[in-house]
Amino acid sequence: MSEVIVASRAPGTDPSFPGASGARQFWRRLRTQRAALVAAAFVALLVLVALTAPLLTAVEGQDPTTYHPALVDSARGGVPIGSFGGVSGSHWLGVEPQTGRDLFARLVHGARVSLGVAFAATLVQVLIGVVVGVAAALGNRWVDQLLSRVTDIIIAMPLMIMSLALLAIVPSGFPRPVLVALIIGLVAWGSTAKIVRAHALTLKELDHVAAARLSGWGPWRVARRELLPALAAPVITYAALLVPLNITVEAALSFLGVGVKPPTPSWGQMLTAADVWYQAAPQYLLLPAGSLFLTVLALTVLGDGVRTALDPRAASRLRVGTGRKREARA
């Protein structure tokens, strides 16, 4: 993934990025990709559901933490009473085995945690990666070597093992979703820094950037005025592809029991508790697993569409709904 982005030329060197009209051209290219538009609509709906989770659960009349022991059959080990896992007018998606907690409330509140952690971790990765990558490109040979070696060390660190170790030693009183987002971001910014450095080194050789440096501008003024606007396209593209990866990392950490802790719901935590109920109460496993699968799929398709729209030379890796024939006729 990163190799494709690094290999493409910097947006500032391409006449298809005409400055003021760049946003309009991006939207025009994105509209030709039906799959990306459907994915964008799904992601927007999911974000809306996550933001309005308290309102939706208030309409249902439930919350994600209240136990309903009367709704489960204790004689059968806590299996929900009723059809389809206890689905009713009061519990739209049924209830959780053993506890009787409302599944709809836990699913929509879990979306807030999973999406919030993924977006926050991506923001941390991008901020650190951009700062380190630009500093390495604009610094002298020693600064570039030092930052490049540090970046190589970060990339070589196994993300899951480092996250597990750091999460295990932090006091339990620290807000867990914030901690998970920080650790993912602080451990996984190396690839972003590599991509930013490669693009910044290319941009540094352009005439207008060289002229700005020769005129006496400092490194950070050059970065702010000349490099960062041209780096926006590859950074946005890579960030769009990082979000689904971070969702799966958060789900994996919660599944392993070191991520988000109960009673705060998350999709990974729900999967952890559902692994023994796939026969007696399959909806308890299928709902979070299906939500996680569809979200990662939609974000991946959207990221591919953003990459193709920002860099029209790069053909989409998707074969359905990309509007290739329409683009060829145009």
Side-chain angles (χ1 to χ4, degrees):
M1 177 172 59
S2 60
E3 290 79 359
V4 175
I5 300 174
V6 172
S8 62
R9 287 182 296 172
T13 66
D14 185 0
S16 65
F17 289 86
S21 62
R24 290 193 295 272
Q25 290 201 24
F26 167 76
W27 173 240
R28 178 173 57 81
R29 293 172 188 142
L30 189 63
R31 283 189 304 175
T32 65
Q33 304 180 65
R34 294 185 296 274
L37 292 180
V38 172
F42 179 84
V43 172
L45 177 62
L46 186 66
V47 171
L48 180 63
V49 168
L51 292 175
T52 60
L55 178 61
L56 293 173
T57 53
V59 171
E60 188 195 25
Q62 304 296 333
D63 64 78
T65 58
T66 300
Y67 283 41
H68 301 281
L71 298 179
V72 296
D73 187 353
S74 58
R76 298 173 57 200
V79 176
I81 299 172
S83 303
F84 304 106
V87 173
S88 65
S90 300
H91 301 278
W92 297 346
L93 295 178
V95 297
E96 187 180 62
Q98 290 189 316
T99 64
R101 290 181 295 192
D102 185 76
L103 273 183
F104 174 78
R106 292 188 65 76
L107 196 68
V108 296
H109 279 269
R112 304 185 85 187
V113 174
S114 296
L115 290 177
V117 168
F119 282 116
T122 301
L123 180 62
V124 174
Q125 288 173 261
V126 168
L127 288 177
I128 298 176
V130 168
V131 171
V132 173
V134 171
L138 292 180
N140 58 36
R141 183 167 63 92
W142 297 107
V143 172
D144 186 18
Q145 287 292 321
L146 175 62
L147 293 178
S148 296
R149 297 296 77 76
V150 172
T151 303
D152 290 338
I153 293 172
I154 293 295
I155 293 176
M157 289 181 178
L159 173 60
M160 293 301 298
I161 294 177
M162 291 298 300
S163 300
L164 287 170
L166 292 173
L167 286 167
I169 64 176
V170 175
S172 58
F174 196 91
R176 211 65 178 183
V178 177
L179 177 62
V180 173
L182 286 176
I183 288 179
I184 295 174
L186 292 173
V187 174
W189 54 264
S191 298
T192 307
K194 282 282 189 182
I195 290 170
V196 171
R197 175 183 174 275
H199 278 280
L201 287 174
T202 302
L203 292 169
K204 192 172 71 170
E205 303 301 322
L206 298 180
D207 292 341
H208 64 93
V209 179
R213 299 176 68 197
L214 291 173
S215 65
W217 284 15
W220 294 113
R221 187 180 182 187
V222 172
R224 187 178 69 253
R225 299 288 297 274
E226 301 294 342
L227 295 186
L228 292 181
L231 287 170
V235 169
I236 291 173
T237 300
Y238 194 59
L241 298 173
L242 282 175
V243 174
L245 175 62
N246 289 334
I247 287 181
T248 57
V249 171
E250 182 278 325
L253 291 173
S254 296
F255 182 80
L256 293 173
V258 294
V260 178
K261 296 292 186 181
T264 304
S266 79
W267 291 344
Q269 182 197 110
M270 293 175 70
L271 287 172
T272 303
D275 60 350
V276 298
W277 294 98
Y278 64 92
Q279 289 183 331
Q283 82 287 345
Y284 187 32
L285 175 66
L286 294 176
L287 286 173
S291 300
L292 184 62
F293 171 77
L294 291 176
T295 302
V296 171
L297 177 63
L299 286 168
T300 302
V301 172
L302 179 59
D304 182 85
V306 170
R307 179 185 64 85
T308 307
L310 287 173
D311 187 1
R313 296 173 306 277
S316 173
R317 287 167 288 183
L318 300 174
R319 293 186 177 274
V320 179
T322 56
R324 286 183 178 180
K325 294 182 179 179
R326 233 181 308 165
E327 286 184 341
R329 287 197 298 269

